[in-house]
Structure formats: C-alpha cells, structure tokens
Amino acid sequence: MDIRYSVNQRDFKRYTTEETRKEFHISNVFVADDVSAVYSHVDRMVTMGAMPVTQTLDIEKNIDCWKNFGVHYLLERRELGIINIGGKGTVKADDTEYTLENLNALYLPMGTKKVLLSSADSKNPAKFYMCSSPAHRPFPAKLITKEQANHKHLGSKETANERTINQFIHPAVLETCQLSMGCTELEPGSVWNTMPAHTHERRMEVYLYFNIPENNVVFHMMGEGQETRHIVMQNEEAVISPSWSIHSGCGTSNYTFIWAMAGENREFDDMDEIAITDMR
C-alpha cells in the first residue's frame, strides 16, 4: 500500500511538476485481478480500486491491516464507500451479497469483517472505486442506485459547466460517520467542474476522473486560490486535495468524476468560495 504524508501550503509553492504528481496524483487505480490502495495522512483517507476479472478479490489483498492500521481487519475502525464504474459486479460483505450495476454505490459500516469483490462478466469487468475514512460507530449498510441518489443540476452551457451532481453517500441519502461520496457528470460541450473554485477548511477531497474520451485529458487545478497549480489527469486517475487547496478542473472534452470527502463537516454548502477574478 502506498502511503502519502501531509503537505502544507507553504512548502507546496516550491514543488516541481514531478513532486506535485508524486505527492497528490494516483495512477493505476484499476489493475486486472488486483486491488490498489493509497493511504493519505490527509484526514487518513484510503483510496482504493479493484477490477476483478477472473478472480474473486479480497479487499485486503495488498494490505497488512495490523502493520498499516493497527487493527485486525480493514473496517474494524473504518467505514467504506464503493462506486462501480465498470460492468455488473458483486460485493459480498460478511454474509450479505450486493449486486452493483454501473454507477451504483454501496456503503459499508465499521465492523464489516470480510469484503469480497467479483465481476459478472470477465469481458466487461466491474471497476470498484472505493474510499475509506475512520469511523466511530456503525451505521446500516446500504446499496444506493443512481436513481436513488440525490441529484443537483448546476451550471450552464454559456459558462461551459452544465453538470449534474449525483450524491450517493451523503446526508441527504443516508447517515455515516464522516464519509461522503458522489458522482458529477458534465454535459456535452461543458468542460469546467467546480467553478467558482472553493476550499473546504473542515474536510479533504479526492477526485477520480473517468469517462474521459481517448486522446483527451483534464487539467485538475489545485493549490491556494491566489497561487494555483495544475496536474494533467488521464482517464481513470485520481488526485488528493487537502483542505487548503482548491479542487477544480477543465477538460478538453466533457467527462465524469467521483468525489469523496472526509473530515469534520459533511454539509454540501460548507465551503469557502473564491471569486473567479481573484484567482491567480
């Protein structure tokens, strides 16, 4: 498991492109018959990906729970959110099986001892994108279809940011300790996400960009609002955004991204906006 440590905004100003990517960029999220995991000390978020093709995968395949977390199993003191961006798949959590179609989500609470992942069709495997944050109590597990998510339509064609925010693991849908996850889909002709930009002083965020057409990229914007940087994102890559950093992006085409947040506050409007003309 890759471990990333916290970076402050003062040191970040001196980072090269290579250093910025090494610290915040996550590649190879989905590898056939494997489980990837990146542990960030920013709010102790774990970002994971699994693509079962010919095997049923144990979520702990590449994790030493005692060495990495000081626990006997991954979710002993954690909660987990899963969103499937691939073909139909199954998640077996202890003795309960959940079928996840494309863009279905699953919340698993603290205390879930065993998580197994499989695909219905090896030619169209599931791609389970997962995020886990510390938890203090268990809440009921829940499968959330895209239809059951809370939907917010924002932006406009005129400003190239018409998009629909699908809130899956969110206070409007279910109760969690601190984890929130959702999926934002940009309409054709729209390329900007999360603009005007903002920061979350009380929580961090991780983005997974996907459905980026071939030969296209997304320029993910980060850093303080008055001293921005960017990371060029390819399809199905993720990026870590600490609380002091903006998280915005502009693609060479429309695309989709999953956002996951952990921290003290889960209110959608708990953000510090930065006027577009004040950005540098």
Side-chain angles (χ1 to χ4, degrees):
M1 185 172 67
D2 188 11
I3 298 178
R4 311 281 181 93
Y5 291 89
S6 301
V7 176
N8 67 65
Q9 60 270 49
R10 295 178 298 279
D11 293 343
F12 177 66
K13 295 177 182 180
R14 301 191 294 270
Y15 273 33
T16 64
T17 297
E18 181 181 0
E19 289 171 322
T20 300
R21 292 179 68 86
K22 185 177 181 180
E23 193 67 42
F24 301 104
H25 178 256
I26 303 174
S27 59
N28 300 317
V29 177
F30 302 106
V31 178
D33 287 327
D34 207 357
V35 180
S36 66
V38 174
Y39 177 80
S40 172
H41 279 269
V42 181
D43 281 311
R44 301 195 178 276
M45 178 76 91
V46 179
T47 302
M48 308 177 71
M51 185 169 68
V53 180
T54 63
Q55 303 175 21
T56 295
L57 299 176
D58 189 321
I59 196 175
E60 297 179 7
K61 180 178 180 181
N62 294 315
I63 296 175
D64 183 332
C65 288
W66 185 256
K67 177 182 177 182
N68 296 138
F69 303 106
V71 294
H72 298 92
Y73 56 94
L74 178 62
L75 300 184
E76 184 176 340
R77 296 180 59 81
R78 285 181 162 271
E79 57 188 356
L80 179 74
I82 304 173
I83 297 179
N84 179 20
I85 68 168
K88 182 178 178 180
T90 299
V91 177
K92 184 177 182 181
D94 292 336
D95 296 324
T96 304
E97 287 193 357
Y98 302 90
T99 298
L100 274 68
E101 303 281 355
N102 182 262
L103 291 188
N104 283 184
L106 176 65
Y107 171 76
L108 295 179
M110 180 183 84
T112 306
K113 292 184 177 180
K114 194 75 171 177
V115 180
L116 300 176
L117 311 163
S118 60
S119 295
D121 183 358
S122 61
K123 295 180 180 179
N124 183 26
K127 293 180 179 179
F128 297 110
Y129 178 66
M130 301 170 283
C131 289
S132 174
S133 59
H136 62 275
R137 58 161 291 188
F139 289 97
K142 185 171 184 178
L143 174 69
I144 309 106
T145 66
K146 187 177 179 182
E147 292 71 27
Q148 293 170 329
N150 189 50
H151 309 289
K152 298 177 74 73
H153 192 76
L154 300 175
S156 67
K157 293 184 184 299
E158 290 74 17
T159 51
N161 68 346
E162 185 179 10
R163 63 201 189 275
T164 299
I165 301 174
N166 305 293
Q167 298 169 332
F168 288 98
I169 299 172
H170 186 273
V173 180
L174 78 166
E175 188 66 20
T176 69
C177 291
Q178 62 170 312
L179 182 67
S180 294
M181 289 181 74
C183 173
T184 300
E185 299 173 285
L186 276 72
E187 297 293 331
S190 289
V191 293
W192 278 102
N193 72 67
T194 323
M195 185 58 70
H198 60 266
T199 59
H200 298 138
E201 184 62 34
R202 288 155 289 278
R203 58 180 184 249
M204 63 86 73
E205 194 156 6
V206 181
Y207 276 14
L208 172 80
Y209 288 99
F210 66 106
N211 287 345
I212 301 175
E214 187 176 1
N215 298 322
N216 285 267
V217 298
V218 173
F219 291 81
H220 178 80
M221 312 300 293
M222 62 180 305
E224 293 181 287
Q226 280 68 51
E227 193 158 348
T228 60
R229 303 288 189 271
H230 73 265
I231 296 179
V232 179
M233 306 294 298
Q234 305 282 344
N235 191 42
E236 297 182 357
E237 294 182 338
V239 60
I240 300 167
S241 180
S243 61
W244 48 262
S245 175
I246 66 167
H247 31 268
S248 180
C250 187
T252 56
S253 173
N254 64 314
Y255 50 91
T256 307
F257 67 97
I258 291 173
W259 43 268
M261 294 184 286
E264 293 179 303
N265 192 298
R266 293 180 297 137
E267 293 296 325
F268 178 77
D269 295 326
D270 182 24
M271 59 186 73
D272 300 309
E273 290 194 352
I274 302 167
I276 294 174
T277 54
D278 289 339
M279 294 181 64
R280 298 290 185 270

